[in-house]
Amino acid sequence: MTTDAELEASARAAFAAAFDGEPEGVWAAPGRVNVIGEHTDYNEGFVLPVALGQTTRAAVARRTDGRVALASVQHPGQRVELDLADLSPGTPDGWAGYPAGVVAELRERVPGGVSVLVDGDVPAGMGLSSSAALSCSVALALRDLAAPQLTTADLVDVARAAENDFVGAPTGILDQSASLLCTAGHALFLDTRDRSSEQVPLDLAAAGLVLLVVDTGTTHSHATGGYGDRRRECERAAERLDVPALRDVPDVAALAPLDDGTGEGSVLLRRARHVVTEDARVLEVVRLLRDTGDPRAVGPVLTAGHASLRDDFQISTVELDTCVAAALEAGAEGARMVGGGFGGSAIVLVEDASVDRVTEVITRRFREEGYSAPRTSLAVPSPGARRLS
Ligand code: GLA
């Protein structure tokens, strides 16, 4: 395992190579997996993410010429440089849109401009929030260098605004909150409405369990995918039910008025039913972790979350469904797809002693179905964003 000191040294060296100077510091922000609470954040509900060990590092130095220079170890040859005044939604685009969006949000704090080198190992497009890791590492850097009065909640808003307004990905606050607020050994129980949160101990190793992440190799793009459609459907359902957000629907029975006999009514009912039952699942998982302290107990709730995303929210894929089914057949405690949907990764809660067998069964099933081989890693609840130097 690479240490923070090694990551920092390598980001410093990459900065020096890209910009011919020294950064003022290096910051790291992790990707995340959400244990439960998918598509609840923009409905003002509950989420329960953990931070991953994989991070994005940002090596940053302020400038004096009013320019913004962005370079990425993962995108060599795609260095971007422009006047601070020329930053505008979509310019620059691609990976550089995320750090540029954060700089644009905070441009008054860095009037002389900034040089940013990013380096990271959160896989992109896999539902593990590489984009939030990128924007949060830069947001934290600019806070420490130039805007010390900003709170962590402000940084969540800055990073989210960068993604929503600059990149054009209509996300909620799950990913940015997870990256900035998670702590090692815990899941973050967050109420996305009032932003209150609790660190819930999640000691998988003590229970003899691991959380396996299976990357199906199918990618998604929130900016162009069905994510925005689902958001709009949820908004329409809340409007029809005359509640501020689906968070305010007390139970599934209260969704009945949505089903007005039209095709649209039954679609809205399904979408809303996912959100209402998913909020309940978050509360249930938190209760199980608090009361029993045994993460094994949450397995069936995760699996129920998958069925809801597949059948009611309809954002799963054949690869994700195959992965979950194969994992359960092979004896996993629970499994579900994670993230925005339409591809990406699944998580599998499994006995440490069975992880190799479960991985083998999933891999074999993928081969039989003609899908490309899945990649697996373990999610260990890790620290949130931090300054490395
Ligand atoms: C993406 C978004 C989040 C959240 C999840 C689904 O990761 O960025 O805000 O909506 O999808 O839970």
Side-chain angles (χ1 to χ4, degrees), residues 44-236:
E44 301 188 17
F46 306 107
V47 293
L48 188 72
V50 296
L52 297 174
Q54 293 101 322
T55 59
T56 295
R57 280 79 62 190
V60 180
R62 283 167 292 175
R63 304 167 64 108
T64 53
D65 59 359
R67 309 264 297 160
V68 182
L70 307 168
S72 161
V73 172
Q74 280 65 48
H75 299 91
Q78 290 184 30
R79 186 186 151 142
V80 169
E81 193 172 327
L82 72 175
D83 281 342
L84 198 53
D86 290 337
L87 290 174
S88 66
T91 309
D93 62 2
W95 71 270
Y98 296 91
V102 171
V103 176
E105 284 296 314
L106 295 174
R107 70 174 103 202
E108 276 151 29
R109 317 288 184 137
V110 283
V114 69
S115 295
V116 179
L117 174 286
V118 292
D119 184 10
D121 50 20
V122 187
M126 301 307 166
L128 302 178
S129 262
S130 59
S131 53
L134 182 50
S135 40
C136 290
S137 63
V138 179
L140 191 64
L142 297 189
R143 196 272 305 269
D144 286 356
L145 291 176
Q149 64 281 36
L150 295 183
T151 64
T152 309
D154 294 333
L155 293 186
V156 169
D157 291 334
V158 164
R160 201 258 287 248
E163 296 200 33
N164 289 183
D165 305 338
F166 201 92
V167 177
T171 68
I173 61 166
L174 161 65
D175 310 337
Q176 300 80 5
S177 303
S179 188
L180 287 160
L181 291 167
C182 279
T183 58
H186 296 88
L188 175 77
F189 173 38
L190 174 71
D191 179 337
T192 64
R193 170 169 276 169
D194 68 9
R195 307 271 187 115
S196 58
S197 65
E198 176 189 331
Q199 302 288 346
V200 181
L202 183 58
D203 192 345
L204 295 168
L209 292 169
V210 293
L211 195 58
L212 178 71
V213 179
V214 183
D215 159 12
T216 63
T218 54
T219 55
H220 66 263
S221 160
H222 290 157
T224 55
Y227 184 91
D229 295 341
R230 292 297 179 277
R231 249 194 111 130
R232 281 186 292 278
E233 288 164 348
C234 289
E235 277 159 20
R236 264 210 315 283

